[in-house]
Amino acid sequence: MSNFNLSIDALLQRLQSRSKLHAGYPYNLAFDYQHILPLLQYTLNNLGDAYVEGNYGINAKDFEREVISFFAGLYHLEKDDTWGYVTSCGTEGNLYGILLGRELYPDGILYGSADCHYSIVKAARMFRIPFVEVKSQIHGEIDYSSLRQALAKNRNQPAIINVNVGTTITGAVDDISKVVDILAELNISQFHIHVDGALGGMLVPYMEGATPLDFSQYPIGSIAVSGHKFIGSPVPCGVVLARKQKVQSFDIEYLGSTDTTITGSRNGLTPVILWDAIQQRKNLFKAEVLHCRKLAEYFQNKIAELGHFALLNPFSTTVVFERPEKSIEKRWQLACYGNIAHIVVMQNHHESILKQLLQELDLMSTIAA
Ligand SMILES: *Cc1c(COP(=O)(O)O)cnc(C)c1O
């Protein structure tokens, strides 16, 4: 049945109120892109390859290329080996990276941990790649001895490996250097490593002690990052980066462009949004990461002090705790899995809001004492 009571004003009100109490999804809700509103007058479409100027002129591909080069710099991918584009979300970047692996190795096997995002499993199904699920450790990081075993069993077949840099549920980071060592040990030379860095791709480079996300140091093939997670965006978006050498292109003559991406038409507004955020905040990203980490530690400590279970992985701002009652879950938009829930501390969270949540979790009576 259609609802005749919908209105933009009512929607605005709902969005405002639902944005106040939000803790479960890794979205930075603190951004201001009001000044790009005039762009909404145009049909911005970055159709086709970001590096190929097609005949459709109402695009922002120059902004898109700047965004890609920012990420290339962040991950030490050499300029002349850089290819990528602004995607519609992290999932599209994962689809792209896994598809690239399959194009390079049509008889490859896809490996991913039990904690990898469902988009990886989706990629396996869509592209008909045999998928081997590898066990995870209890905190969510891939189990390296299980990975070694699985790879050893199929050592005559190429390997497409998904490495999680920040799992969805616990924010665990798989160690690329260990994955690379295992491949070397087993003498597997035909492989494609795809990094799923949806959130962690923007955290790890700014934290001390993590294995660096470094294309110059490790044979990473591709990486996907979500744009609306750490950076923040009113529209879901993401970035995928790949080694240019590995990327094959297919000419679509009628576009006067090259159709190397997953979709046809592509959002031309999101590259401008990401570009704008990078211009405004590139020197602040590190401070933002450290601030979120500190608050996550605060939140975890408070729960742990009270003798409750609370997990905060290194290089993460995701705090996992016991699943609370349904009303709190709904009110705070918590992401829950079985008997656990988590919050992801983002830039829009302040100590006061975390305190309020702690209070509602019925822990505060003891904290206040
Ligand atoms: C959120 C997430 C994704 C998917 O990103 P979307 O932008 O929501 O499509 C992929 N992998 C991980 C680990 C994630 O947390």
Side-chain angles (χ1 to χ4, degrees):
M1 232 173 37
S2 44
N3 185 344
F4 296 105
N5 294 321
L6 295 180
S7 78
I8 301 294
D9 280 345
L11 175 60
L12 267 172
Q13 259 178 24
R14 188 177 84 215
L15 297 179
Q16 195 188 18
S17 102
R18 293 300 272 161
S19 296
K20 266 190 212 138
L21 297 184
H22 174 272
Y25 294 80
Y27 305 155
N28 171 14
L29 305 182
F31 54 76
D32 184 3
Y33 300 111
Q34 301 270 358
H35 55 283
I36 69 166
L37 277 174
L39 297 178
L40 291 186
Q41 298 167 93
Y42 301 99
T43 304
L44 267 169
N45 190 340
N46 283 11
L47 192 61
D49 192 298
Y51 295 85
V52 179
E53 287 302 338
N55 291 336
Y56 186 71
I58 311 171
N59 69 68
K61 289 191 177 182
D62 42 355
F63 287 72
E64 184 172 18
R65 291 191 293 268
E66 279 296 303
V67 171
I68 299 308
S69 62
F70 166 78
F71 280 93
L74 191 62
Y75 305 134
H76 307 282
L77 177 55
E78 263 179 57
K79 211 173 176 165
D80 51 10
D81 198 18
T82 295
W83 187 84
Y85 68 97
V86 173
T87 58
S88 55
C89 61
T91 294
E92 187 188 338
N94 283 341
L95 293 178
Y96 182 83
I98 302 299
L99 179 61
L100 176 59
R102 199 211 58 184
E103 294 294 273
L104 295 165
Y105 303 112
D107 57 344
I109 294 174
L110 175 60
Y111 300 85
S113 82
D115 275 60
C116 67
H117 189 261
Y118 57 80
S119 58
I120 301 301
V121 185
K122 193 189 276 186
R125 291 177 60 182
M126 283 175 75
F127 307 138
R128 293 179 182 256
I129 311 170
F131 178 66
V132 174
E133 186 185 284
V134 177
K135 261 194 231 151
S136 303
Q137 302 176 55
I138 189 92
H139 62 285
E141 184 175 351
I142 197 166
D143 183 86
Y144 301 98
S145 66
S146 299
L147 177 64
R148 182 183 290 107
Q149 263 176 29
L151 285 166
K153 214 169 131 192
N154 308 299
R155 70 167 82 200
N156 297 321
Q157 264 169 289
I160 303 164
I161 304 177
N162 177 69
V163 170
N164 291 314
V165 171
T167 60
T168 306
I169 303 178
T170 66
V173 174
D174 298 342
D175 189 335
I176 294 170
S177 72
K178 288 185 185 162
V179 172
V180 171
D181 286 349
I182 292 168
L183 288 165
E185 240 174 71
L186 295 173
N187 253 319
I188 298 175
S189 57
Q190 292 200 310
F191 62 84
H192 175 76
I193 294 177
H194 172 73
V195 174
D196 178 358
L199 173 65
M202 278 300 289
L203 302 179
V204 162
Y206 300 105
M207 286 176 153
E208 302 284 327
T211 296
L213 266 177
D214 188 332
F215 278 79
S216 71
Q217 213 174 323
Y218 302 110
I220 302 167
S222 53
I223 180 168
V225 184
S226 292
H228 56 292
K229 289 190 173 174
F230 183 82
I231 291 184
S233 163
V235 187
C237 59
V239 165
V240 67
L241 211 66
R243 286 186 196 270
K244 198 171 173 178
Q245 282 179 342
K246 290 196 169 202
V247 175
Q248 295 166 336
S249 44
F250 309 92
D251 270 322
I252 305 285
E253 277 174 15
Y254 72 88
L255 291 177
S257 182
T258 312
D259 198 5
T260 42
T261 63
I262 298 262
T263 61
S265 288
R266 293 190 306 108
N267 197 323
L269 194 61
T270 47
V272 182
I273 288 169
L274 294 179
W275 175 87
D276 188 66
I278 291 165
Q279 292 305 301
Q280 288 184 46
R281 289 159 47 208
K282 62 172 178 266
N283 296 321
L284 301 174
F285 285 152
K286 183 169 185 171
E288 290 178 18
V289 169
L290 299 182
H291 176 75
C292 293
R293 172 71 193 183
K294 236 175 120 178
L295 280 180
E297 285 171 354
Y298 163 83
F299 192 80
Q300 184 226 5
N301 283 333
K302 284 289 178 208
I303 297 180
E305 267 171 26
L306 297 160
H308 293 272
F309 162 79
L311 170 74
L312 170 62
N313 271 313
F315 323 119
S316 162
T317 67
T318 301
V319 186
V320 181
F321 50 96
E322 281 164 41
R323 189 170 187 161
E325 59 178 81
K326 199 92 192 164
S327 61
I328 296 181
E329 217 178 284
K330 285 262 181 274
R331 206 167 116 76
W332 288 83
Q333 305 171 57
L334 301 179
C336 297
Y337 312 88
N339 55 2
I340 60 166
H342 76 202
I343 67 159
V344 188
V345 178
M346 302 301 292
Q347 294 92 324
N348 52 297
H349 292 132
H350 300 283
E351 198 173 314
S352 56
I353 203 87
L354 296 182
K355 271 189 178 147
Q356 192 184 332
L357 175 56
L358 285 165
Q359 211 154 26
E360 289 186 32
L361 287 169
D362 208 20
L363 299 167
M364 210 57 180
S365 52
T366 350
I367 289 173

